[in-house]
Amino acid sequence: MNNIVVSLDIGSSKVCVLVAEINKKQFNVLGVGTSECKGVKKGIIVDIDSTVDAIQSAVKQAEHMSNREIKSAFVNIAGGYTTIYKNKGVIAVTREDREITSEDVARVMQAAKVYAVPADREIIDIIPEQFVVDGYGEIRDPVGMVGVRLEVDANLVVASCTTVQNIIRSVQRAGLAVDGIIVEPLGTSSVILNDDEKELGVALVDVGAETIDISVFKNGSLVLTKIIPVGGNHITNDISIVCKISSQEAEKIKRQYGTASVKMVRNDDIIKINNIAGRGEKEIHLVEIAEIIDARISEMLYLIKNELHNNNLLGSLAAGIVITGGGLFNIRGIQDVAQSYFDVPIRFGYPNYIGVANPIYSAATGIAMYALKQKRTSIVNNKKLVERGEVAADREADEKEEHRPGLMDRIREFFADFF
Ligand SMILES: Nc1ncnc2c1ncn2[C@@H]1O[C@H](COP(=O)(O)OP(=O)(O)OP(=O)(O)O)[C@@H](O)[C@H]1O
Ligand SMILES: [Mg+2]
């Protein structure tokens, strides 16, 4: 695998394609393309044809900007549509000198994969939490150590077969091969969170167009993923309905005048807005807009708090809550409103790279960063894709030809990155 990857974020409001590279340890965005997408509802593909059109259009833009032909991509799946199961794998170390090799690590990971998942769900990734060598735990990389018994405590990421199939189908019909399916928060967290936050306990909250994706990290691992079907588009819809204006006009007003609290606007602030279907203009008080937004934001913050509370996590988020995604980020005053609502520290995060310094690019940038960092194509998933014949033939041939060194190198690099 070279040092350039393409990521694809299929979101509820837009598809985003990003071409990125790591050059001398520096992450660079070479090209980005976005296209409005009407084929995704609440993070799930409901119309393959429109999703395919949006992917193709975003790919074209990204190709043009990066001056590279795009043949395949890593694609996201919303964290909330996956479930994490904990499982253990145990093997005996086979070498006579008892040195643990990458092959042993691959075997123990395979052993951890043996888990009875419901027939309509499949394992899409396996994330090691710790290795245990002859009873000694908290080992991040056992390769090179000496032992008789190797165990792994792993997190299995499981998703609905239909959701996964529709993602693969859409990407393939847009003419791309799937390099791997990456659980969105694992990607997003790699650009938005730092290692200390993930270790201490943090909730990453991605407020998108139609979903709030909550992911909690503790001791460096993803421990909870939940999805709430509300997002920034609900604010727009509320403005559109209450003010009786088109959703385009409502979106424009939200972006230009949106504030998170009524306290931030003066009673006599008035703006002119276009009536629906070109029926002239009318005046509206900004307080009215602020009230609409305030109500919806209060509901969103309540739902986030409730989810964390129900999972007994609110008290253990030492690093607080980090909010990203376009849904809330750009609403004026949101930082103060969110901070006064939660008792834990709140920060807003976005990818701090040229060309994508906007929270709407957090997922696409994160997937690219994660893929580049791990230098792996989700071991489990890719194997599955190859088995099903769902990766491009030339990639399959490459995999077969270089099977042993390729897979082992990837695993070695993958574990090296845990340090
Ligand atoms: N400047 C802005 N001011 C206010 N809201 C904005 C701004 N830019 C984007 N948004 C809102 O952000 C939302 C889109 O965010 P994002 O791109 O993160 O969502 P998505 O990834 O497409 O959806 P999801 O993650 O829910 O599937 C929309 O509701 C849009 O109205
Ligand atoms: Mg999103």
Side-chain angles (χ1 to χ4, degrees), residues 178-211:
V178 177
D179 284 325
I181 296 181
I182 292 179
V183 188
E184 200 174 301
L186 291 178
T188 308
S189 66
S190 66
V191 283
I192 302 298
L193 303 180
N194 60 49
D195 290 345
D196 286 345
E197 286 173 325
K198 284 192 252 185
E199 206 60 44
L200 285 168
V202 67
L204 175 66
V205 179
D206 182 338
V207 185
E210 294 187 359
T211 62

Coordinates of all heavy atoms in Angstrom, one line a residue, residues 178-211:
V178 N -13.9 -1.1 -3.2 CA -13.9 -0.8 -1.7 C -12.6 -1.2 -1.1 O -12.3 -2.4 -1.1 CB -15.1 -1.4 -1.0 CG1 -15.0 -1.1 0.5 CG2 -16.4 -1.0 -1.6
D179 N -11.8 -0.3 -0.6 CA -10.5 -0.7 0.0 C -10.8 -1.2 1.4 O -10.0 -2.0 2.0 CB -9.6 0.6 0.2 CG -8.9 0.9 -1.2 OD1 -8.6 0.0 -1.9 OD2 -8.8 2.1 -1.4
G180 N -11.8 -0.8 2.1 CA -12.2 -1.2 3.4 C -13.3 -0.3 3.9 O -13.5 0.8 3.4
I181 N -14.0 -0.9 4.9 CA -15.1 -0.1 5.5 C -14.6 0.3 6.9 O -14.2 -0.6 7.7 CB -16.4 -0.9 5.6 CG1 -16.9 -1.2 4.2 CG2 -17.5 -0.2 6.4 CD1 -18.2 -2.0 4.1
I182 N -14.6 1.5 7.2 CA -14.1 2.0 8.5 C -15.2 2.6 9.3 O -16.0 3.4 8.9 CB -12.9 3.0 8.2 CG1 -11.8 2.3 7.6 CG2 -12.5 3.8 9.5 CD1 -10.6 3.1 7.2
V183 N -15.2 2.2 10.6 CA -16.2 2.7 11.5 C -15.9 4.2 11.7 O -14.8 4.5 12.2 CB -16.2 1.9 12.8 CG1 -17.3 2.3 13.7 CG2 -16.2 0.4 12.6
E184 N -16.9 5.0 11.4 CA -16.6 6.4 11.3 C -15.9 7.0 12.6 O -14.9 7.8 12.4 CB -18.0 7.2 11.1 CG -17.8 8.6 10.5 CD -19.1 9.2 10.1 OE1 -19.8 8.6 9.3 OE2 -19.5 10.2 10.7
P185 N -16.4 6.7 13.8 CA -15.7 7.4 14.9 C -14.2 7.0 15.1 O -13.4 7.8 15.6 CB -16.5 6.9 16.1 CG -17.3 5.8 15.7 CD -17.5 6.0 14.2
L186 N -13.9 5.8 14.6 CA -12.4 5.5 14.7 C -11.6 6.4 13.8 O -10.6 6.8 14.1 CB -12.2 4.0 14.3 CG -12.7 2.9 15.2 CD1 -12.5 1.5 14.6 CD2 -12.1 3.0 16.6
G187 N -12.2 6.7 12.6 CA -11.6 7.6 11.7 C -11.6 9.0 12.3 O -10.6 9.6 12.5
T188 N -12.8 9.5 12.6 CA -13.0 10.9 13.0 C -12.1 11.2 14.3 O -11.4 12.2 14.4 CB -14.5 11.2 13.4 OG1 -15.2 10.8 12.2 CG2 -14.7 12.6 13.7
S189 N -12.1 10.2 15.2 CA -11.3 10.4 16.4 C -9.8 10.6 16.1 O -9.1 11.2 16.8 CB -11.5 9.2 17.4 OG -11.0 8.1 16.8
S190 N -9.3 10.0 15.0 CA -7.9 10.1 14.7 C -7.5 11.5 14.3 O -6.3 11.8 14.4 CB -7.4 9.0 13.7 OG -8.0 9.3 12.5
V191 N -8.4 12.3 13.9 CA -8.0 13.7 13.6 C -8.6 14.7 14.6 O -8.0 15.8 14.8 CB -8.5 14.2 12.2 CG1 -7.7 13.7 11.1 CG2 -10.0 13.9 12.0
I192 N -9.6 14.3 15.3 CA -10.3 15.3 16.2 C -9.9 15.1 17.7 O -9.8 16.1 18.5 CB -11.8 15.1 16.1 CG1 -12.3 15.3 14.7 CG2 -12.6 16.0 17.1 CD1 -12.0 16.7 14.1
L193 N -9.6 13.9 18.1 CA -9.2 13.6 19.5 C -7.7 13.4 19.6 O -7.1 12.9 18.7 CB -9.9 12.4 20.0 CG -11.5 12.4 20.0 CD1 -12.0 11.1 20.6 CD2 -12.1 13.5 20.7
N194 N -7.2 13.6 20.8 CA -5.8 13.3 21.1 C -5.8 12.0 22.0 O -6.8 11.6 22.5 CB -5.0 14.4 21.6 CG -5.5 14.9 22.9 OD1 -5.8 14.1 23.8 ND2 -5.7 16.2 23.1
D195 N -4.6 11.4 22.0 CA -4.5 10.1 22.7 C -4.8 10.3 24.2 O -5.5 9.4 24.8 CB -3.1 9.6 22.6 CG -2.8 9.1 21.2 OD1 -3.8 8.9 20.4 OD2 -1.6 8.9 20.8
D196 N -4.5 11.4 24.8 CA -4.8 11.6 26.3 C -6.3 11.6 26.5 O -6.8 11.0 27.4 CB -4.2 12.9 26.7 CG -2.7 12.9 26.9 OD1 -2.2 11.8 26.9 OD2 -2.1 14.0 27.0
E197 N -7.0 12.3 25.6 CA -8.5 12.3 25.8 C -9.1 10.9 25.7 O -9.9 10.5 26.5 CB -9.1 13.2 24.7 CG -8.9 14.7 24.9 CD -9.3 15.6 23.7 OE1 -9.2 15.1 22.5 OE2 -9.8 16.7 23.9
K198 N -8.6 10.1 24.7 CA -9.1 8.8 24.5 C -8.8 7.9 25.7 O -9.5 7.0 26.1 CB -8.6 8.2 23.2 CG -9.2 8.7 22.0 CD -8.9 7.9 20.8 CE -7.9 8.6 19.9 NZ -7.6 8.0 18.6
E199 N -7.6 8.2 26.3 CA -7.2 7.4 27.5 C -8.0 7.8 28.7 O -8.5 6.9 29.4 CB -5.7 7.7 27.7 CG -4.9 6.6 28.4 CD -4.9 5.3 27.7 OE1 -4.7 5.2 26.4 OE2 -5.1 4.2 28.4
L200 N -8.2 9.1 28.9 CA -8.9 9.5 30.1 C -10.4 9.3 30.1 O -11.1 9.1 31.1 CB -8.7 11.1 30.2 CG -7.4 11.5 30.7 CD1 -7.3 13.0 30.5 CD2 -7.2 11.2 32.2
G201 N -11.0 9.3 28.9 CA -12.5 9.1 28.8 C -13.1 10.3 28.1 O -13.0 11.4 28.7
V202 N -13.6 10.2 26.9 CA -14.1 11.3 26.2 C -15.3 10.8 25.3 O -15.3 9.7 24.9 CB -13.0 11.9 25.3 CG1 -12.6 11.0 24.2 CG2 -13.4 13.3 24.7
A203 N -16.3 11.7 25.1 CA -17.4 11.4 24.2 C -17.1 12.3 23.0 O -17.0 13.5 23.1 CB -18.7 11.8 24.9
L204 N -17.0 11.6 21.8 CA -17.0 12.3 20.5 C -18.4 12.4 20.0 O -19.0 11.4 19.8 CB -16.1 11.5 19.6 CG -15.9 12.1 18.2 CD1 -15.2 13.4 18.1 CD2 -15.2 11.1 17.3
V205 N -18.9 13.6 19.8 CA -20.2 13.8 19.4 C -20.2 14.5 18.0 O -19.9 15.6 17.9 CB -21.0 14.6 20.4 CG1 -22.5 14.8 19.9 CG2 -21.0 13.9 21.7
D206 N -20.6 13.7 16.9 CA -20.6 14.2 15.6 C -22.0 14.6 15.2 O -22.9 13.7 15.0 CB -20.1 13.2 14.6 CG -20.0 13.6 13.2 OD1 -20.7 14.6 12.8 OD2 -19.2 13.1 12.4
V207 N -22.3 15.9 15.2 CA -23.7 16.3 14.9 C -23.7 16.6 13.4 O -23.1 17.6 13.0 CB -24.1 17.6 15.7 CG1 -25.5 17.9 15.4 CG2 -23.9 17.3 17.2
G208 N -24.3 15.8 12.6 CA -24.3 16.0 11.2 C -25.6 16.6 10.7 O -26.2 17.4 11.5
A209 N -26.1 16.2 9.5 CA -27.3 16.8 9.0 C -28.5 16.2 9.6 O -29.5 16.8 9.9 CB -27.3 16.7 7.5
E210 N -28.5 14.8 9.7 CA -29.7 14.1 10.2 C -29.4 13.2 11.4 O -30.3 12.5 11.8 CB -30.3 13.3 9.0 CG -30.9 14.2 7.9 CD -31.6 13.5 6.9 OE1 -31.7 12.2 7.0 OE2 -32.1 14.1 5.9
T211 N -28.2 13.1 11.8 CA -27.8 12.2 12.9 C -26.9 12.9 13.9 O -26.1 13.7 13.5 CB -27.1 11.0 12.4 OG1 -25.9 11.3 11.7 CG2 -28.0 10.2 11.4

